[in-house]
Amino acid sequence: MPKLYGSPLTGVSFQETALKRLNILSLSIENALVILIVFQCLMALVFLLGHRESKPLSSYFLAGLLAILFIQFGSVIFEMAGVKGWNTYYLIWSRLLYGPVIYFYIRSMVVSDFSLKKKHLLHIIPGIVLQVLALTVNQIEENWLIITVQLQVVIYLIFTYRLLFKYGEAMRAVNSGFQKAMSTWVRQFFLLMLAVMLLDIVFQQLFISYGIYSIHIYEVQLLMILIMVTTAVFKGLRNPLIFQTVTKEELGLSTSEKEKYKSSSLSDDDLTNYKEKVIRFMEEEQGYLEPELTLADLAKRLNLTLRDVSHVINSGFQVNFSELVNRYRIELASQMLLDEKHQDLTVSEIVYAAGFNSKSSFYKAFRKSVGISPKEFREQKGIKKL
């Protein structure tokens, strides 16, 4: 039975000359990084699982990813130490868990009502099948194993990218206070994982196709994994709810217009009546002044379903929810910027008075609507107060 050495993500056999570089007694850069990754994963797992209080589902997926990394890199240390009887060939199953765990970790982070179901167990079947084949078929092609693992990871990363794209669309459509920075950690994590996997593919293919063992690519890959794990400890563990989420229903609102409302039962009269309700909420109750107003909040106030109120706004106003709310906020802000009784207010004070929860989101929305910045808008009217 062959042994799989080198990159712990997919595994590849190296010649004896390459293996000499992985001497546990020689504290090279790659050895030091492997040891740091194992130690960091272990500490993170202890911190994450050592607390008894209830945890979000995403914490368990993060623990699963850390455990896989710990097992894979721990096996590298076993190999470097020359532990008899140990063979990384026994861990092929874990390599086929990277893709599903990454996807479900991010999904559980961005979809608030996501829950595991029996059907999700299907995602672990490829790993079990491949492991059984590897242990029972002696002539199984090692390069085929590597390509299979890499292809599976790429497929899951594509699914993850599509999920994040839909998440961004849904957040902009249903949350008037959405700030892109709130989801920065998830995007950083995905990009780091994408970079690690791309490096892994290059690393493996260089060796398979040309017999080139690029120690520098391997070191960069190890460093990025260490950064990813460290970032997870300080961000994903300290505060797993550092950004806004959407529900499964809200995530579905990011589809195309035709698909969104093809099953809607609203008549033209319903659309007209509900549009008037939305206008009354915005103009008489000034609901847009609530900084964290969401589509779900509006639906609850109007006693409508999420999909119906989204349909009313998109069809009746030709904009999405966030754009409608910002339209009212910008109108108020523009009036305040020019009103003599508000000339003592700075732009920053007007931002929050108009319902925005950050200056960056206000400036972006204002420039998009008016075409110039608030400062330029005031200066055009001869008002110098900033």
Side-chain angles (χ1 to χ4, degrees):
M1 182 182 295
K3 289 187 175 183
L4 301 180
Y5 292 99
S7 170
L9 297 179
T10 56
V12 66
S13 294
F14 294 122
Q15 300 170 348
E16 186 65 26
T17 53
L19 291 176
K20 288 179 181 179
R21 300 186 185 205
L22 301 177
N23 189 335
I24 190 66
L25 299 178
S26 174
L27 194 60
S28 60
I29 294 176
E30 65 267 29
N31 290 351
L33 288 172
V34 167
I35 294 171
L36 283 173
I37 290 171
V38 171
F39 177 77
Q40 190 71 282
C41 286
L42 179 60
M43 292 298 99
L45 282 168
V46 171
F47 178 82
L48 180 60
L49 301 178
H51 295 77
R52 294 184 177 181
E53 68 269 13
S54 61
K55 307 175 184 65
L57 183 60
S58 59
S59 294
Y60 292 100
F61 282 116
L62 179 57
L65 179 61
L66 293 171
I68 295 170
L69 289 170
F70 177 76
I71 291 170
Q72 289 291 338
F73 284 97
S75 71
V76 173
I77 292 179
F78 279 8
E79 292 286 2
M80 289 191 296
V83 176
K84 292 183 178 180
W86 180 256
N87 193 330
T88 52
Y89 210 68
Y90 301 136
L91 298 176
I92 290 173
W93 61 270
S94 61
R95 295 188 178 107
L96 281 170
L97 288 180
Y98 280 117
V101 169
I102 292 168
Y103 173 76
F104 285 118
Y105 170 55
I106 291 183
R107 188 172 185 86
S108 63
M109 289 279 275
V110 302
V111 181
S112 59
D113 54 351
F114 171 74
S115 61
L116 281 175
K117 302 184 184 304
K118 290 182 180 179
K119 65 180 181 180
H120 294 140
L121 293 175
L122 294 173
H123 292 269
I124 68 174
I125 290 179
I128 296 174
V129 171
L130 197 60
Q131 184 68 69
V132 171
L133 286 175
L135 295 176
T136 56
V137 182
N138 292 329
Q139 299 302 316
I140 192 168
E141 176 61 40
E142 181 183 331
N143 291 350
W144 178 81
L145 289 175
I146 295 169
I147 293 172
T148 300
V149 173
Q150 292 179 339
L151 180 61
Q152 189 244 28
V153 170
V154 168
I155 291 172
Y156 274 97
L157 287 176
I158 292 173
F159 287 157
T160 305
Y161 172 80
R162 289 183 63 224
L163 170 66
L164 288 175
F165 180 80
K166 289 177 67 177
Y167 163 72
E169 279 195 329
M171 284 303 305
R172 284 186 287 271
V174 306
N175 195 322
S176 66
F178 174 61
Q179 300 176 53
K180 190 175 180 180
M182 297 289 281
S183 60
T184 298
W185 153 238
V186 179
R187 298 178 188 278
Q188 287 177 345
F189 173 84
F190 171 75
L191 291 175
L192 275 172
M193 205 68 215
L194 178 63
V196 167
M197 291 303 173
L198 289 177
L199 281 175
D200 186 69
I201 291 173
V202 173
F203 178 72
Q204 303 288 8
Q205 294 305 316
L206 278 176
F207 185 82
I208 293 172
S209 303
Y210 306 103
I212 299 174
Y213 174 73
S214 178
I215 190 65
H216 299 300
I217 293 179
Y218 186 44
E219 289 171 350
V220 172
Q221 185 184 26
L222 291 174
L223 180 60
M224 295 186 73
I225 293 173
L226 181 61
I227 292 172
M228 181 187 69
V229 173
T230 303
T231 306
V233 173
F234 287 101
K235 289 188 176 181
L237 296 184
R238 289 177 59 188
N239 189 2
L241 301 176
I242 56 177
F243 54 90
Q244 298 153 309
T245 60
V246 295
T247 63
K248 286 185 285 187
E249 185 179 7
E250 290 170 337
L251 194 65
L253 296 178
S254 63
T255 56
S256 67
E257 292 294 324
K258 290 183 178 179
E259 290 296 318
K260 273 189 210 177
Y261 310 120
K262 66 179 182 180
S263 60
S264 175
S265 60
L266 296 181
S267 65
D268 290 341
D269 288 339
D270 290 332
L271 288 172
T272 300
N273 292 333
Y274 294 152
K275 179 181 178 181
E276 292 175 357
K277 283 188 175 183
V278 172
I279 293 174
R280 284 197 297 271
F281 176 79
M282 292 296 178
E283 297 182 357
E284 296 178 12
E285 300 180 35
Q286 293 188 308
Y288 61 89
L289 293 180
E290 299 177 23
E292 303 300 329
L293 182 69
T294 66
L295 184 65
D297 295 331
L298 179 59
K300 187 176 180 180
R301 304 279 186 87
L302 301 183
N303 197 26
L304 295 173
T305 66
L306 200 66
R307 187 167 296 276
D308 283 348
V309 74
S310 178
H311 188 181
V312 170
I313 292 173
N314 279 267
S315 300
F317 299 92
Q318 304 301 311
V319 293
N320 64 34
F321 169 74
S322 294
E323 290 169 337
L324 176 65
V325 174
N326 284 341
R327 179 187 293 177
Y328 280 99
R329 290 172 176 171
I330 293 299
E331 184 179 348
L332 175 61
S334 299
Q335 293 173 0
M336 294 179 70
L337 285 168
L338 302 180
D339 197 327
E340 291 185 0
K341 65 180 180 182
H342 293 130
Q343 286 187 15
D344 290 335
L345 296 179
T346 63
V347 172
S348 296
E349 291 171 326
I350 290 175
V351 166
Y352 299 106
F356 286 94
N357 60 4
S358 73
K359 288 191 290 186
S360 60
S361 59
F362 167 72
Y363 277 95
K364 182 178 180 180
F366 192 93
R367 183 174 286 276
K368 181 180 179 181
S369 175
V370 182
I372 56 178
S373 70
K375 178 182 177 181
E376 294 169 333
F377 181 76
R378 264 191 163 176
E379 289 177 345
Q380 280 187 357
K381 306 300 180 180
I383 302 173
K384 300 299 183 180
K385 182 70 177 181
L386 301 180

